[in-house]
Every structure is written in structure tokens, then in C-alpha cells.
Amino acid sequence: MMRAYDIIARKRDGLRLSAEEIDFMVRGFVEGLISDYQMSAFLMAAYIKGLNEEETINLTRSMIASGRCVDLSSVKGIKVDKHSTGGVGDTTTLILAPLVAAAGVPVAKMSGRALGHTGGTLDKLESIPGFNVNLSKEQFIGQVNRIGVAIAGATADIVPADKKIYALRDVTATVSSIPLIASSVMGKKIAGGADAIVLDVKTGSGAFMETLSESRKLAEMLVTIGHKMGRQTVAIISDMDQPLGFAVGNALEVKEAIDTLKGKGPPDLAELCFTLGSYMLVLAGIVSKPEEGRALLKDTLSTGKALDKFGQLIEAQRGDPDVLSDQGILPRSSMVEDYLAGKEGYILSMDAKKIGEAVMELGAGRETKESAVDLSVGLVLYRKVGDRVEFGEPIVKIHANHYGKLQKAISILKEAIIISDERPQPRPLIYDIITENKVSR
Ligand code: URA
Ligand code: CA
């Protein structure tokens, strides 16, 4: 008979686990037969000793088998999903989903809530008055068939093992593990019905994998799992050392997404959307090269079709489409204050993790017993890394609803933003694009 104790001990000693052993742990935990403390020990052993490629694929399979899969077979065409490993001010889904749908590729997107210092797409969408993210499977699929796009929260029966395991990882310091992230991400994408997957693997201070070499290993593992499980997969390694775009916060990012769909968005955010989107079009088979995809997306954006599609999406999910022309209907904070440069020079860093924490401190993060997610608060950057600033010049606009939280956010910004006399070397926005399995250990 298998026992959790023996499986934990084998992983502790660095031994390889069989598919049956991994499945025993995942299934037992979901069914409540394995306790939190045994699963925590198992996760820590896996974190420290690692899981090889085969074990990671088996873990992904067990994750998927813990729940039900979305059947998108009634949606015509190749269904391409996109997933980010988590970032700060990462507004891409709000732009990409309507943009890619308007270019002719069906987008059935399941998104999540805020996690750690990173924001959640569902929270952002809920800042549009009336917007409903809770769609049944039938509503979700019906909407994709009707207008080509839907964004909803995953129902409880999609990879329940991930929800339970993630909650434990969050409090046991076992999030930043390549096999654990890879199985979590790919399990959800495959269970979500994706035929092909474009992954945005973040690197830098605001990412779960901070160094480029670790991010690259994660990207390669994600692509390997995708290919071994019969899904075309591409991973784009992108910068998350400073926030993406200018806005960080729920309603503030909705405004930024609308600006971007009008062609007036921050250059880095627009560029990342074009890169991710062009690969989505390639995997969907409607263009043969990313350059063609980019041209099609630029045309879709400049003709206003992408913005119209966002309007259709909002209307279909009972949100107020007037938000496209009147952003005054979005929730607004009661206080705004500028954070000023303490000296002249060049911005050396805007630490994405700390900035994310400052925004969580303002109340934009997870719902707690005491308070709901505050949709109106956040930050808007006036400057980015490498920019010149003068003494006393505003660098960040802070939107807050509570004086104490505002002060706390300011003290975090003091640590996050460093000004130096010399102009720093610019970091690239895109580090690499992984299309082939290079790992195979
Ligand atoms: N995003 C996920 O979906 N899972 C992880 O484990 C980390 C980031
Ligand atoms: Ca942003």
C-alpha cells in the first residue's frame, strides 16, 4: 500500500517518483485524505530536490485529472490561449483578448485574481461597472461562438488541485519552483481547452523567477510540457524588473488598456501585446510568420476594430460600454498625491516587486475578511527606468483612499525607486522567444 510518508521521504532523499506516487499525493490531497502538513512537506521536498521533466509532466497530468476540462470543440478554429507567469501592471490580457479576437482568432480566456504582489485580470475587469466574470461553461462557450471572445474566472471544477496546492505554496515559501509553476500553469491551460499556448514568462525583480537563467529554464520546461502533451507552445521571456506600462491598479489599468486600444498606450505595453499577439496568430494558423501577424494586429488596432471588440466583450458580460468614451465612470479614489524625486539624476530602478507591494498596500490586492478589493487605488508612473528627473519633479501619481495606507505606500516607493547620477544601461523588453524544447534532461 502506498503511504504519503514514504513518498515524502523518497523525494526528500532526491529519488525519482513514479506517475502513481505523484498521482497518489495530488488525488489524496484533493480528496482530503492527505493533510496540509504532509502536502507542505512534500511540496518543500519537491522545491528543494526538484522534479525532472517526466515527473513534472506526470504532475501536470495529475493536476488536470483532479477536475474537469473545458470542451471547446464547438468553437470553430484553433483555440490559442495566453498566460503570464505573473507581473506588476501587466495589463496585456485586457488588450490582447479583444485585439486577437478582432483579428479573427477565437479567444476563450480564463483569468485569475491577484496573487502575492501581482494583480489579477478578473479584479481589473470588475472595475468596469456591471462587468460579470462569473460565466457558466455554456455562457462562456456560447459567447465565444457569438462574438469571438470571453474572459471569465475558472469554475471550481477546473484543476481544483491547483487552487488547493497554490494556497499552500503561498504560505510555505514554495511558489518559485520551476516544476511547481510549470505544472500549475500548463495544467490550467490544457484543462481550459487550449489547442495552442503562448506564454509570457516574466523575468526580473517583479517575477517569481527573478534571474534570466531561471526564467529561461522555466520557459523551456513550459514549452517541453506543451509539446509532450500535444499542444503547440511558444514562450516569450519579457522584462518584469519595472512595472509594465504606466498604470498599476485595477481601474487605472482598465483606462490604460482602453488608451492602448485607441493607439495611445505606453510603448512597452503595446510592444509586448504585439509580440505575444503575433505568435497567437501564428499558432492559430491564420498567418505564417510573426511579422505578418504583427502587421495584421497593427491594422486591427488602427482601424478601431480592436476597440469595438472590447466594447462588444464588455456589453456581452453586462458591463457598461460607455467606459470606452467616458472613463469618468470608473471608480475613482478620494485622494491623489504625487511622489517627488528626492534628487536629480536618472532613474536607475523602479523595483517591480516593491511597486506591486505598494499597490497591494493601498488595497488593490486580495479580498480579506475586513475589506473588499479596492478597485480605484494604485499608481501611475510619470517616468520609467532610464529617464532623467530633476529634484522635486513628480515621478509617480498615487491614488489612495486611506491616509495611513498612502503613507505606507510612499515609504515602500522610497525603497523601490533609486535615482543615480549615471544613466543606466537599458534592459530589453523581450529577452528571448522559446519555440523549441532545448532542455530534455
Ligand atoms: N502562475 C500560476 O498560474 N501558477 C504558479 O504557480 C505561478 C504563477
Ligand atoms: Ca500597466
Side-chain angles (χ1 to χ4, degrees), residues 314-392:
I314 293 170
E315 223 171 332
Q317 295 188 225
R318 293 197 262 121
D320 186 347
D322 286 352
V323 71
L324 298 185
S325 52
D326 178 11
Q327 286 149 39
I329 69 172
L330 289 168
R332 248 191 294 188
S333 70
S334 58
M335 285 177 242
V336 286
E337 185 163 316
D338 282 339
Y339 176 83
L340 309 178
K343 59 181 254 190
E344 62 167 35
Y346 296 93
I347 298 186
L348 179 66
S349 82
M350 294 188 128
D351 186 295
K353 180 165 193 188
K354 292 201 174 92
I355 289 183
E357 284 166 359
V359 172
M360 296 301 143
E361 196 58 52
L362 290 168
R366 293 212 126 181
E367 200 170 9
T368 62
K369 282 195 196 76
E370 295 84 46
S371 58
V373 176
D374 192 333
L375 299 171
S376 67
V377 297
L379 306 174
V380 180
L381 312 180
Y382 294 110
R383 294 281 181 267
K384 304 240 339 186
V385 170
D387 287 348
R388 170 94 201 156
V389 290
E390 301 306 323
F391 172 76

Side-chain angles (χ1 to χ4, degrees), residues 83-86 115 162 166 169 175 180-182 184-185 188 208:
H83 190 86
S84 148
T85 59
L115 207 60
D162 182 61
Y166 201 93
R169 288 169 60 206
V175 171
L180 298 181
I181 296 176
S184 163
V185 168
K188 281 181 287 207
F208 291 120

